[in-house]
């Protein structure tokens, strides 16, 4: 049996530049989009000064766009919710920035606190609500960019197209 380590066999990978993968300028995998959301959420200077709270309707702001994707910042005062909906052909990552939100699906509900993430595929139906007594903020990454948000009826889960 050969006792040489892989590093000894391959040599210094950093010395062989053509074997290194260049860093991607824009995310392309679910993990990379989740990582993008985590990096933005960790840098409060990018978003905290933009958050506004509106007692009459959910507040939202497009924070960033890239090739085929969008990043949205949303705020939620106590009692505000999204209604049961999906995101049409878009996949997404929801990250709670501050406060607490509740996600409801046909499988039940889950409490999401600051730092929590949910990743979803096209057609995933959910409702997001601020059931707490404090305001909350969240970050949403959509790929491809959000073009529709069909609303569902809670009892039947039938869709009605609602333009965004």
């Amino acid at each position: 049996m050969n006792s040489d380590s892989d590093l000894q066999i391959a040599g210094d990978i950093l010395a062989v530049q053509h074997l290194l993968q260049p860093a991607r300028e824009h995310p392309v995998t679910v993990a990379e989009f989740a990582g993008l959301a985590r990096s933005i959420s960790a840098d409060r200077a990018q978003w905290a000064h933009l958050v506004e709270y509106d007692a009459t309707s959910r507040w939202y702001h497009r924070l960033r766009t890239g090739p085929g994707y969008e990043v949205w910042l949303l705020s939620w005062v106590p009692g505000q919710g999204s209604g049961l909906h999906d995101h049409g052909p878009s996949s997404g990552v929801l990250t709670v920035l501050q406060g607490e939100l509740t996600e409801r699906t046909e499988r039940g509900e889950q409490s999401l606190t600051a730092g929590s993430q949910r990743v979803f595929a096209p057609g995933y139906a959910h409702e997001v609500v601020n059931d707490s007594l404090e305001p909350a903020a969240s970050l949403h990454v959509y790929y491809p960019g959000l073009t529709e948000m069909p609303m569902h009826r809670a009892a039947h889960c039938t869709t009605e197209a609602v333009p965004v």
Side-chain angles (χ1 to χ4, degrees), residues 15-16 59 69 95 102 111 128-129 132 134:
V16 189
W59 175 90
Y69 73 90
T95 304
T102 302
S111 177
V128 179
V129 179
S132 77
E134 299 295 325

Side-chain angles (χ1 to χ4, degrees), residues 27-41 63 68-74 76 85-87 89-97 101 103 112 115-122 124 126 128 137-146:
V28 295
T29 67
V30 171
E32 289 172 344
F33 281 110
L36 171 67
R38 279 192 304 276
S39 69
I40 293 170
S41 67
L63 189 61
Y69 73 90
E70 297 177 322
V71 180
W72 289 86
L73 181 61
L74 281 76
W76 313 75
H85 68 282
D86 68 57
H87 302 93
S90 299
S91 295
V93 178
L94 172 140
T95 304
V96 178
L97 300 172
L101 296 171
E103 181 190 39
L112 305 172
S116 297
Q117 280 191 314
R118 301 290 292 148
V119 176
F120 49 87
Y124 176 78
H126 69 159
V128 179
S138 57
L139 187 80
H140 303 248
V141 180
Y142 300 108
Y143 179 84
L146 197 59

Side-chain angles (χ1 to χ4, degrees), residues 122-164:
Y124 176 78
H126 69 159
E127 178 180 28
V128 179
V129 179
N130 182 351
D131 284 332
S132 77
L133 298 175
E134 299 295 325
S138 57
L139 187 80
H140 303 248
V141 180
Y142 300 108
Y143 179 84
L146 197 59
T147 57
E148 59 183 280
M149 198 172 98
M151 299 304 290
H152 295 247
R153 290 190 193 109
H156 305 294
C157 278
T158 58
T159 60
E160 300 170 10
V162 175
V164 175

